[in-house]
Amino acid sequence: MNVSFISLGCVKNLVDSEYILGLLRQDNTINVIDDISLSDVIFINTCGFINDAKKEAIDTIFSVINEKKDDAYIIVIGCLAKRYKKELSEQIPEIDLIVGVDEYDTIGEAINQLLKTSLPKTYNPLKRSLSNPLPVAYLKIGEGCSNKCAYCAIPLIRGDYYSYTKEQIINDAKRLISLGKKEIIVIAQDPTRYGKDIYGDNYLLEDLLKDLLMLDESVNYRVLYLYPDRISDQLIELFKNHKNLLPYFDIPIQHSSNKILNLMKRSGSKEKYIERIAKIRKEVDNAILRTTLIVGFPNESQEDFDDLKEFVKQIKFDHLGVFAYSDEEDTLAFNMENKIASKIAKKREKEIMKIQNEISFTLNKKRINEIHDVLIEDFDGNNYYGRSYLYAPDAEDGQFIIHSDKSLIIGEYVKVKIIDVTAYDVIGEVIDILP
Ligand code: SF4
């Protein structure tokens, strides 16, 4: 049976895809292929938390319907499947099976019923099938979110936050290391909540990171999605003192106006965020700061927006993503008054990115002549592309562009000197091939 698998959405969803691919591969009658037109079964792991993502998922489902063999099965899983199961089954009868993220504990049985396979009841996280051949992998440490930000549908889809056990996470990491992974990226909706629900204050994110860092000193760790109000001094201390914990701080701030932060139900304040950022920059050498912002949230006045622009100019983030507010049903914000016209929201999005473009270019120019250990990740026949600790492996950040007469190996680390820059990328030349 030929099976193909499409994974949409965030990296947390990607790890779910890897879990389910691992489950499928436990049945040796299943052969995973890329070609949808030759597949007997097509899995689509969907995202469903904002309108654009929902549209992408629906478009993907219809393109698969058009491309597939007549007798091929379509199985839709993931966040859209959880949030709109009834609507999907009523409005797209071509879908043969819908399994929401809340039904993964019996996904094997559901698939067996349709495909007459003999899969285990559900997946074993330690048998996940890794999607990235490069020495990079994601390590999920928890699920769901209890922050309940007013604009966000994730708690409606994924439920309240819960931590995975440290045993499961450590074993997952050991397996990744045994498979040659050199950069492990720690993720959850909110990693700063790690451990509290199952270990109280005895074992928190920094304790987990300490145990992970002890596994193999040739492996680097990166942590994404740090909730700004819960970055402890102990966590900053660990980043300061441990070279394998990459000094990369991904801190979604969302807004700077305290009025808007309160309406968004975001804990903390602009003053607290500035204090944490200042502490990170004082304590941790070469700290990289990334954030995401939302503009056009209901009640966002011109004054609030001016406040945000000033904040962006003051902080000078290394990487910044900004999104226009997406009106999501069943969220608190959906019923708020004073919605901002999407034309204005889009205009504000552009304004912030224009400011950030100049900031990023100025910061990049200061990097000329710096030397970095770069993981070579791609080659387009002319240039190689790669990342150092400066960049997380997702598009927003930027990358190294390297022209080399010597052929380089994808998946290898090389020493690169930055010789030129653009607003978001750096241009480098190889000065040494690392062992
Ligand atoms: S922290 Fe807020 S925005 Fe992020 S997943 Fe949780 S509820 Fe959504």
Side-chain angles (χ1 to χ4, degrees):
M1 185 191 309
N2 287 331
V3 170
S4 56
F5 203 108
I6 300 169
S7 188
L8 304 173
C10 67
V11 289
K12 289 144 276 183
N13 224 25
L14 177 66
V15 173
D16 287 351
S17 295
E18 294 178 341
Y19 289 153
I20 293 157
L21 269 169
L23 172 70
L24 296 172
R25 288 210 156 105
Q26 287 176 51
D27 184 318
N28 52 25
T29 67
I30 291 179
N31 175 32
V32 179
I33 64 170
D34 290 334
D35 191 332
I36 287 168
S37 67
L38 297 177
S39 299
D40 306 301
V41 187
I42 302 107
F43 282 80
I44 306 165
N45 188 4
T46 59
C47 175
F49 94 114
I50 54 170
N51 293 329
D52 292 354
K54 291 185 264 185
K55 185 177 177 313
E56 182 195 24
I58 300 293
D59 291 350
T60 305
I61 293 170
F62 281 108
S63 76
V64 166
I65 289 170
N66 295 332
E67 203 184 330
K68 75 177 183 74
K69 295 189 299 186
D70 291 349
D71 60 354
Y73 293 108
I74 297 180
I75 300 180
V76 172
I77 64 174
C79 294
L80 190 81
K82 162 68 174 61
R83 198 171 175 196
Y84 299 105
K85 184 167 186 168
K86 189 166 163 297
E87 294 83 350
L88 284 171
S89 64
E90 285 169 3
Q91 294 163 28
I92 315 181
E94 292 90 342
I95 301 172
D96 299 285
L97 177 63
I98 302 171
V99 185
V101 288
D102 57 331
E103 301 169 292
Y104 283 173
D105 53 347
T106 56
I107 189 169
E109 285 171 354
I111 296 168
N112 290 343
Q113 260 165 25
L114 179 71
L115 304 179
K116 309 297 173 248
T117 44
S118 49
L119 297 169
K121 186 176 175 195
T122 186
Y123 57 76
N124 171 350
L126 296 179
K127 291 192 173 160
R128 73 173 150 132
S129 172
L130 301 176
S131 55
N132 186 345
L134 292 166
V136 181
Y138 292 98
L139 179 66
K140 194 151 73 161
I141 65 170
E143 194 51 86
C145 192
S146 304
N147 296 328
K148 300 202 169 41
C149 303
Y151 51 82
C152 185
I154 292 172
L156 304 170
I157 300 170
R158 298 258 175 187
D160 279 344
Y161 173 79
Y162 65 89
S163 301
Y164 292 173
T165 65
K166 57 184 170 187
E167 291 75 22
Q168 177 187 326
I169 297 166
I170 300 285
N171 289 334
D172 198 348
K174 282 181 179 166
R175 180 168 174 267
L176 296 176
I177 294 166
S178 72
L179 295 168
K181 300 300 178 182
K182 291 297 178 196
E183 181 179 336
I184 294 179
I185 305 170
V186 174
I187 58 170
Q189 302 298 354
D190 177 4
T192 58
R193 276 184 182 273
Y194 183 76
K196 287 204 174 68
D197 54 322
I198 46 179
Y199 306 116
D201 287 336
N202 306 324
Y203 195 82
L204 302 172
L205 178 60
E206 49 268 26
D207 304 303
L208 175 68
L209 290 171
K210 273 185 204 140
D211 285 345
L212 289 170
L213 287 158
M214 292 225 281
L215 294 176
D216 182 322
E217 59 181 29
S218 72
V219 174
N220 290 328
Y221 291 85
R222 188 187 299 266
V223 186
L224 300 183
Y225 316 113
L226 293 169
Y227 197 95
D229 190 35
R230 273 194 291 276
I231 300 172
S232 67
D233 289 351
Q234 294 78 5
L235 187 61
I236 296 173
E237 192 67 18
L238 190 67
F239 275 94
K240 175 181 178 178
N241 299 329
H242 216 298
K243 68 175 180 47
N244 293 82
L245 187 51
L246 299 176
Y248 183 95
F249 294 83
D250 174 38
I251 311 175
I253 298 260
Q254 309 303 10
H255 212 285
S256 64
S257 147
N258 286 336
K259 177 192 110 187
I260 297 295
L261 288 171
N262 289 336
L263 287 169
M264 284 179 165
K265 301 278 177 237
R266 298 281 292 179
S267 62
S269 65
K270 175 163 78 171
E271 294 71 23
K272 176 72 188 288
Y273 300 166
I274 291 174
E275 181 274 334
R276 290 287 86 185
I277 289 168
K279 175 139 179 113
I280 288 167
R281 283 182 165 155
K282 179 166 167 284
E283 302 288 339
V284 183
D285 294 342
N286 307 317
I288 296 295
L289 281 157
R290 172 170 93 169
T291 198
T292 51
L293 304 172
I294 293 175
V295 291
F297 187 79
N299 299 287
E300 184 188 57
S301 64
Q302 185 57 43
E303 198 193 340
D304 296 319
F305 183 58
D306 293 343
D307 185 293
L308 186 61
K309 285 193 284 184
E310 277 319 302
F311 179 76
V312 170
K313 288 176 189 164
Q314 178 194 347
I315 302 294
K316 295 185 175 54
F317 290 95
D318 298 280
H319 310 301
L320 183 149
V322 57
F323 304 90
Y325 167 73
S326 176
D327 208 21
E328 290 304 318
E329 59 208 359
D330 304 325
T331 63
L332 264 181
F334 190 72
N335 304 316
M336 283 183 186
E337 313 267 303
N338 306 327
K339 295 270 171 71
I340 308 298
S342 69
K343 214 168 92 247
I344 295 174
K346 285 283 172 205
K347 184 171 161 295
R348 290 177 178 175
E349 190 180 331
K350 280 205 179 74
E351 270 189 69
I352 294 280
M353 279 327 289
K354 189 164 175 297
I355 295 168
Q356 182 60 23
N357 184 292
E358 286 156 27
I359 289 170
S360 185
F361 195 24
T362 310
L363 291 174
N364 267 357
K365 274 187 256 177
K366 292 185 187 142
R367 295 200 177 284
I368 291 180
N369 294 327
E370 279 185 8
I371 293 171
H372 286 248
D373 295 349
V374 173
L375 171 64
I376 300 300
E377 296 190 316
D378 203 358
F379 180 56
D380 67 2
N382 182 24
N383 288 319
Y384 290 91
Y385 300 88
R387 291 177 307 109
S388 74
Y389 85 91
L390 289 179
Y391 306 120
D394 41 26
E396 283 95 34
D397 277 11
Q399 59 187 345
F400 278 76
I401 303 170
I402 302 160
H403 185 74
S404 170
D405 299 330
K406 262 189 254 154
S407 57
L408 305 177
I409 300 166
I410 303 233
E412 296 284 331
Y413 284 85
V414 294
K415 239 179 219 326
V416 173
K417 181 178 177 183
I418 297 176
I419 55 173
D420 197 359
V421 300
T422 67
Y424 296 116
D425 298 325
V426 295
I427 316 318
E429 65 180 16
V430 177
I431 57 171
D432 193 3
I433 308 281
L434 293 169

